[in-house]
């Protein structure tokens, strides 16, 4: 018998020999894991939305009255957001003044983040600290001066407003505030006109009855209320040669023009191209929205306009 130490290394299996059962199990386990990883990778790629959308947008926008143009803007934005899987809730209000007050009152609230507002308001210190300017819409609001056709020839210059009765919209409205600012900024106090605050439908009625000499309306140029009024027989739009000077005095005012026949090209209403004052429409925020929601809203505005 040999005294050599036994060889501890098992001999290699001969070529062509079958793998042991444990080795076969390990092989198929690796195959299963690899297939599982490939499946997860395919699922992940399939779940990625290659086309950008607004699915992360989830905010509320304060607008205006149910039949007003601010509400129409909100509904349009909401529709575009929905098409791209985003959510923009639209809330009707009385307009600019209420919108600003609600944003300030509910600052940092998760229920209200943005609002539409008319430029040119006299902002309080609290409003300046709380509100954020998000955007200016490309479509501006127009300052209309409307009178009865029999009174209009008497109103050719601003000086002709001396002692006249002027409707400036509902109390607390953006129209009333803007009219008050223009009135003060232009130094019209010396003319001592009587400023009357009325709901817009009553203001139109009193213009037709000639109980008012002039009515001021601030809205989009194709708003149904103005369009229907100027297509009628009683009321006309007037202008003043001093409007350019007023626009130069106030940074928020712009000088625009309503073309001849814009409201009725057959009857020529207005009868000539008419200079008008215009103000921007603002999108305001209270700072409570996330950065991603704010960016998404800006993208929504860009795609809509």
């Amino acid at each position: 018998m040999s005294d050599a130490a036994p060889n501890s290394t098992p001999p290699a299996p001969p070529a062509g020999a079958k793998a042991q059962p444990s080795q076969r199990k390990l092989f198929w386990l690796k195959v299963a894991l690899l297939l599982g990883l490939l499946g997860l990778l395919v699922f992940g790629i399939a779940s990625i939305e290659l086309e950008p959308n607004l699915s992360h947008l989830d905010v509320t926008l304060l607008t205006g009255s149910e039949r007003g143009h601010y509400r129409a803007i909100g509904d349009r934005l909401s529709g575009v957001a929905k098409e791209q899987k985003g959510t923009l809730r639209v809330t009707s209000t009385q307009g600019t003044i209420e919108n600003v007050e609600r944003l300030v009152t509910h600052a940092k609230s998760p229920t209200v983040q943005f609002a539409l507002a008319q430029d040119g308001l006299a902002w309080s210190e609290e409003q300046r600290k709380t509100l954020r300017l998000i955007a200016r819409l490309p479509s501006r609001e127009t300052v209309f001066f409307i009178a009865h056709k029999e009174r209009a020839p008497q109103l050719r210059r601003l000086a002709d407003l001396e002692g006249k009765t002027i409707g400036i919209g509902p109390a607390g409205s953006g129209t009333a505030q803007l009219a008050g600012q223009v009135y003060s900024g232009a130094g019209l106090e010396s003319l001592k006109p009587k400023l009357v605050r009325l709901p817009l439908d009553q203001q139109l009625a009193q213009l037709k009855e000639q109980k008012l000499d002039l009515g001021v309306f601030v809205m989009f140029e194709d708003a149904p209320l103005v369009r229907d009024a100027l297509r009628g027989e009683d009321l006309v739009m007037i202008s003043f040669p001093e409007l350019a000077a007023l626009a130069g005095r106030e940074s928020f005012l712009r000088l625009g023009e309503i073309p001849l026949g814009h409201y009725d090209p057959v009857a020529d209403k207005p009868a000539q191209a008419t200079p008008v004052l215009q103000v921007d429409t603002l999108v305001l925020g209270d700072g409570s929205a996330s950065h991603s929601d704010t960016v998404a809203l800006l993208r929504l505005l860009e795609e809509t306009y």
Side-chain angles (χ1 to χ4, degrees), residues 237 257-274:
M237 179 171 57
E257 183 178 88
I258 303 295
L260 180 151
H262 180 76
Y263 297 108
D264 189 334
V266 176
D268 283 346
K269 295 182 178 182
Q272 59 187 3
T274 306

Side-chain angles (χ1 to χ4, degrees), residues 160-237:
D160 296 331
L161 297 178
E162 184 173 6
K164 296 296 190 290
T165 303
I166 304 173
I168 60 172
S173 68
T175 298
Q177 284 213 19
L178 181 66
Q181 281 187 255
V182 173
Y183 170 80
S184 300
L188 300 180
E189 295 95 334
S190 61
L191 301 177
K192 298 181 179 179
K194 180 182 179 182
L195 303 183
V196 180
R197 293 165 177 80
L198 293 168
L200 297 182
D201 55 346
Q202 292 184 31
Q203 187 163 295
L204 280 176
Q206 292 202 17
L207 284 169
K208 291 178 181 179
E209 296 167 2
Q210 299 191 54
K211 293 180 179 179
L212 294 175
D213 296 297
L214 183 69
V216 180
F217 301 81
V218 182
M219 54 187 59
F220 291 89
E221 65 179 38
D222 289 317
L225 183 143
V226 166
R227 183 190 62 216
D228 295 343
L230 295 177
R231 283 178 176 174
E233 296 298 324
D234 298 321
L235 303 180
V236 295
M237 179 171 57

